[in-house]
Amino acid sequence: MRQKKIFSLNRLFTCVFVLILMAGCGQASKETVCCDNSNHSEIKKEMKYSKKYTNADFYTDGKFNAEAAKKAYLDMFEFYGIPFTPFMEENFWVAEFGIGDFENVGMGGIFWVNDAGHGYFAHAIYLLPGQMIPEHAHVKTAYPAKFETWMVSKGWAYNFSEVGDATPNPPVIPASHGSIKSKNFVIQNLGEIIHLKQVETFHFLMAGPEGAIVDEWANYHDGAGLRFTNPNAKL
């Protein structure tokens, strides 16, 4: 008799435990299977970073708030699993180029190295969703004109060049930027590598809706050789 009572109690506890599990599973997405950890990695693959910030977040009383801009990039880094190292903390910079529309025209960056003596340069470009770098070219100074190569490591980007015929159906260029010379573009997807078509020609990158993190390699970057299409743009 005592054995039957113990057996019944065990069955009762088991049923209660199962009901609790079922209740927890009911709150989960229909696309997941309860208690199956393998599905979590699949869900993360389906998630995409998206636009969260506007100019209202980046300007205080009409003045650009660089710290707010930095926080927006840190949010994107967290999504993409990019650690913010002490070197990045010390060397990270943001630029709105004096255009006053950081939501649409601006960037963050890290110069990993910019060595005039050895003539090489490595850069990380950070673009929030839909954000573009102002159209620019690099001309010869005391140093050779900068020749660049880009690889997308997160998200994707439009890669524009003034070399080549105009590509149909371009994305909308922000009115704050003004007209552009670069009418030829390709969509540069994750892992793809693209070279500057010709030295001293105008070009720019614009992030897709997921934002973009782009690795860049080049010869030495001399800021004196930087030329913008927008006459008000500056770095």
Side-chain angles (χ1 to χ4, degrees), residues 92-114:
F92 185 80
W93 52 267
V94 297
E96 62 106 58
F97 299 96
I99 292 176
D101 185 19
F102 188 76
E103 174 187 348
N104 299 300
V105 185
M107 68 179 293
I110 292 279
F111 285 3
W112 302 116
V113 63
N114 191 27

Side-chain angles (χ1 to χ4, degrees), residues 135 159-171 173 178-186 197 202-204 229:
E135 184 181 54
N159 191 310
F160 277 82
S161 171
E162 72 167 312
V163 179
D165 296 331
T167 306
N169 305 314
I173 302 301
S179 61
I180 57 172
K181 299 176 182 288
S182 304
K183 303 295 179 66
N184 181 276
F185 74 89
V186 296
K197 291 183 179 179
F202 283 93
H203 58 279
F204 67 93
T229 307

Side-chain angles (χ1 to χ4, degrees), residues 81-235:
I82 296 170
F84 196 60
T85 65
F87 181 90
M88 293 172 72
E89 176 67 51
E90 184 178 349
N91 294 279
F92 185 80
W93 52 267
V94 297
E96 62 106 58
F97 299 96
I99 292 176
D101 185 19
F102 188 76
E103 174 187 348
N104 299 300
V105 185
M107 68 179 293
I110 292 279
F111 285 3
W112 302 116
V113 63
N114 191 27
D115 192 318
H118 294 91
Y120 76 109
F121 170 84
H123 183 201
I125 296 169
Y126 306 116
L127 295 171
L128 298 171
Q131 196 177 44
M132 71 175 279
I133 304 172
E135 184 181 54
H136 63 282
H138 302 278
V139 301
K140 182 180 179 180
T141 60
Y143 299 93
K146 186 182 173 197
F147 181 81
E148 301 159 296
T149 294
W150 305 278
M151 184 188 76
V152 173
S153 60
K154 302 290 181 184
W156 60 271
Y158 297 97
N159 191 310
F160 277 82
S161 171
E162 72 167 312
V163 179
D165 296 331
T167 306
N169 305 314
V172 175
I173 302 301
S176 61
H177 181 278
S179 61
I180 57 172
K181 299 176 182 288
S182 304
K183 303 295 179 66
N184 181 276
F185 74 89
V186 296
I187 291 177
Q188 187 172 359
N189 291 303
L190 183 69
E192 292 181 343
I193 296 172
I194 292 178
H195 309 286
L196 181 67
K197 291 183 179 179
Q198 185 179 322
V199 293
E200 299 190 311
T201 57
F202 283 93
H203 58 279
F204 67 93
L205 294 170
M206 175 188 280
E210 302 165 31
I213 296 176
V214 182
D215 295 322
E216 178 188 308
W217 305 277
N219 50 309
Y220 175 66
H221 172 79
D222 182 10
L226 189 58
R227 301 288 185 272
F228 292 106
T229 307
N230 185 317
N232 298 317
K234 59 186 178 182
L235 184 59

Side-chain angles (χ1 to χ4, degrees), residues 31-134:
E31 295 177 0
T32 64
V33 177
C34 185
C35 309
D36 184 356
N37 290 330
S38 65
N39 287 305
H40 293 304
S41 59
E42 293 301 319
I43 293 167
K44 187 160 179 63
K45 287 179 184 176
E46 294 300 318
M47 293 171 63
K48 295 181 185 294
Y49 191 71
S50 59
K51 187 171 181 174
K52 297 183 178 181
Y53 304 94
T54 68
N55 281 330
D57 300 297
F58 300 130
Y59 294 89
T60 305
D61 297 326
K63 186 177 179 182
F64 179 55
N65 186 332
E67 192 61 31
K70 176 182 173 182
K71 287 179 181 177
Y73 289 114
L74 290 177
D75 180 77
M76 186 169 70
F77 291 172
E78 183 178 1
F79 177 86
Y80 282 122
I82 296 170
F84 196 60
T85 65
F87 181 90
M88 293 172 72
E89 176 67 51
E90 184 178 349
N91 294 279
F92 185 80
W93 52 267
V94 297
E96 62 106 58
F97 299 96
I99 292 176
D101 185 19
F102 188 76
E103 174 187 348
N104 299 300
V105 185
M107 68 179 293
I110 292 279
F111 285 3
W112 302 116
V113 63
N114 191 27
D115 192 318
H118 294 91
Y120 76 109
F121 170 84
H123 183 201
I125 296 169
Y126 306 116
L127 295 171
L128 298 171
Q131 196 177 44
M132 71 175 279
I133 304 172

